[in-house]
Structure formats: structure tokens, C-alpha cells
Amino acid sequence: MTETTETPEITGEETAATATADAEQASVKAEAKTRREPLLKHFVGYWHYGVILTYMSLALSICGICFAAAYGGPRRDDIAAFFLLLAGLCDAFDGMVAKTRKHRSDNDKLFGMNIDSLSDMVSFGIAPIMVGVAMGMTRWYYCIVYVFFALCGLVRLAYYDVSEVNRLKDPTSTRRDSYEGLPITNVSLALPVFYLVATLFDIHPEWIGLNAENIIIYKSIIMMTCYLLCGFLFVFKFKMFKARVRGLIITVVTITVLVVGLALIRYYVFGVVLFEPLTTFAATGI
């Protein structure tokens, strides 16, 4: 004989009771979620820890811009370059922090991508220019190079956003393993190195046949090379490998060693102090 399993008949009352229970359970979950949501839900934006490093990167860059614009005293190109390096370090790991949030919505991803690009334009498009301005490169022809650098960075960011949106829409797409062109954030690593080289002879310009008045010639050649080269690589199509966690750590350690090494050489060999004491506010300052 073959056993048969009888399916219990579900009545209308049981169906209604189940629907009511589900509705009550959903209501309880919604209420609990509402209690957990912070006060920031009443403000525009997506507020969560996933973008905290992006905000820190922007804050550091703005601090650098302020010091480059004579915040509290003379223009401080050294502090501006240092803040730019710190901003780049924060930006290097913001994507990894964002991905630690589980169940991210499409809006969360798009918000993070857009806020990152907007922040990058300020942090790595404007702040580097302010370093050059603070160094004294303020004649009209320098402006041409600054505009070229900023426009290339802007095009690079917009192109990346379009390609990333298309990649997210493609259900067969995989993790990005390379970039087209040089990501704009890399200027935060390149510019401090160029800056340290450009300021090697601030104390002894006679070592390269210059004097204190025309040392800006040497500085401008080094720094304009940095802006032009980075700007060109922003928009030039070539495949650049995207580093994972280990690669990022190796890159950060390498650049840190290089920067610290150059700073020590500047101090012990050329006598150039990296960070001079901040000038106090003038008595008439607000």
C-alpha cells in the first residue's frame, strides 16, 4: 500500500488570522526600526558610517586650503601638502569601509559614489592647486596649467561615474579590477613627493646656481611638471591595476617611507625644516 499525506484544509478564518499576525509582526518591526533610526533621518542625505572617511578626506583638504590661503598668518604650502597626503590616505580606504555595511540599497551605493566624486573634486582637484598658489606660483600663465589640471580631473571623475553606473546596471558585471586612466586621488601621493623635491634648495639655492629671488624658477619647473603630468594621465586611456587591501597597504607604506625619507634629507642635508611654527594671529584679526 502507498501512504498518502493529507494536506490540512485552511479555512478563511485561519487565513485572516495569519494575515493579521503577519501585519502585526511587520508593524512591530517597523516600529523597532523607527526607534533605532537616529535624528539624522529628518535631514537630507544618507547618514551612516560608510561615508565617514570621504567626509574626513574633504575636511582635511579644506584645512589644507585654508592654510594655503594664509590661514592665521603667511601662506603655508608645507601644511597644505601634508593635509593633501592625509586626505588621500582617507580616500584610499573609504570604499572598503563602505562595503562593510551589509544590505546596501542602490540609493546608498549611488549616494556614496556621487559624494565621493564631489569630494574628490575639492580634495584632489582644488586643494593641489592651492599648494602651488601658496608656493608663490601666482602669475597669469600658471593659471593656464591650473585650469588644465582641474578640467582633466573633472573629466576623469565624470567619466568614471558614467562607467560605474553602467557597470552596476549590468547583471553580468564583476568586481572592477582596473581603471581607465589615472584616478584623480593619486595626486595626493604624487604632489607631496614633487613638493619635497621642489623645496630642497629653499635654504641653499646657490647649490644649483640660483639665488633667493629666482629660486621660484626651479620650483615652478618641478611643480608644473607634476600638474601637467597628472592632468594628462587623468584623461589618457590606459589600464591601471586596481589594488586590493594588500596592495593599498604596500602603496601607503612605500609612499610614507619615501615622503619621510625626503623630509629627513631636506632637514639633515639641505637644512630645510618641514613644519615651521605657526604664525600667531594678528592683533586685528577676527
Side-chain angles (χ1 to χ4, degrees), residues 27-39 41:
S27 177
V28 171
K29 290 182 178 179
E31 185 178 353
K33 182 179 179 182
T34 301
R35 288 197 302 267
R36 290 195 303 266
E37 287 181 347
L39 180 63
K41 70 175 184 178

Side-chain angles (χ1 to χ4, degrees), residues 202 205-206 210-216:
D202 280 357
E206 67 277 4
L210 300 174
N211 54 41
E213 286 73 29
N214 56 21
I215 187 62
I216 189 65

Side-chain angles (χ1 to χ4, degrees), residues 1 4 6 11 17 40 49 73 75 77 86 113 116 131 157 168 181 193 197-199 208-209 221 263 276 282:
M1 294 179 63
T4 58
E6 295 183 0
T11 63
L40 292 175
Y49 74 87
R75 293 172 177 171
D77 48 90
L86 293 181
M113 183 182 68
D116 186 64
V131 175
L157 288 170
L168 293 175
V193 174
V197 174
T199 54
I208 54 175
I221 292 174
E276 295 180 358

Side-chain angles (χ1 to χ4, degrees), residues 11 16 56 64 78 88 180 216 249 257 260:
T11 63
M56 289 178 61
D78 53 348
E180 283 187 304
I216 189 65
I249 294 175
V257 171
V260 172

Side-chain angles (χ1 to χ4, degrees), residues 224-244:
M224 292 303 111
T225 300
C226 177
Y227 293 121
L228 291 172
L229 180 62
C230 288
F232 172 76
L233 292 178
F234 290 160
V235 295
F236 182 72
K237 273 195 174 184
F238 69 97
K239 292 291 184 181
M240 180 175 176
F241 174 74
K242 180 180 180 180
R244 303 301 179 191

Side-chain angles (χ1 to χ4, degrees), residues 133-258:
V133 172
M135 293 177 69
M137 287 169 270
T138 56
R139 294 186 180 274
W140 65 268
Y141 42 82
Y142 293 118
C143 188
I144 299 174
V145 178
Y146 295 149
V147 170
F148 170 79
F149 172 81
L151 284 177
C152 289
L154 183 66
V155 170
R156 172 68 180 78
L157 288 170
Y159 180 81
Y160 171 79
D161 286 349
V162 173
S163 63
E164 188 67 8
V165 169
N166 291 333
R167 188 183 70 85
L168 293 175
K169 288 180 179 179
D170 185 1
T172 62
S173 65
T174 58
R175 293 180 62 182
R176 182 185 289 274
D177 57 1
S178 64
Y179 295 110
E180 283 187 304
L182 181 72
I184 189 175
T185 54
N186 284 267
V187 72
S188 65
L189 304 178
L191 188 137
V193 174
F194 276 83
Y195 170 80
L196 290 173
V197 174
T199 54
L200 279 177
F201 302 98
D202 280 357
I203 302 299
H204 298 287
E206 67 277 4
W207 290 3
I208 54 175
L210 300 174
N211 54 41
E213 286 73 29
N214 56 21
I215 187 62
I216 189 65
I217 298 174
Y218 169 77
K219 290 183 178 182
S220 63
I221 292 174
I222 300 297
M223 295 305 295
M224 292 303 111
T225 300
C226 177
Y227 293 121
L228 291 172
L229 180 62
C230 288
F232 172 76
L233 292 178
F234 290 160
V235 295
F236 182 72
K237 273 195 174 184
F238 69 97
K239 292 291 184 181
M240 180 175 176
F241 174 74
K242 180 180 180 180
R244 303 301 179 191
V245 178
R246 180 181 297 180
L248 281 176
I249 294 175
I250 293 175
T251 301
V252 168
V253 171
T254 302
I255 295 298
T256 301
V257 171
L258 179 60

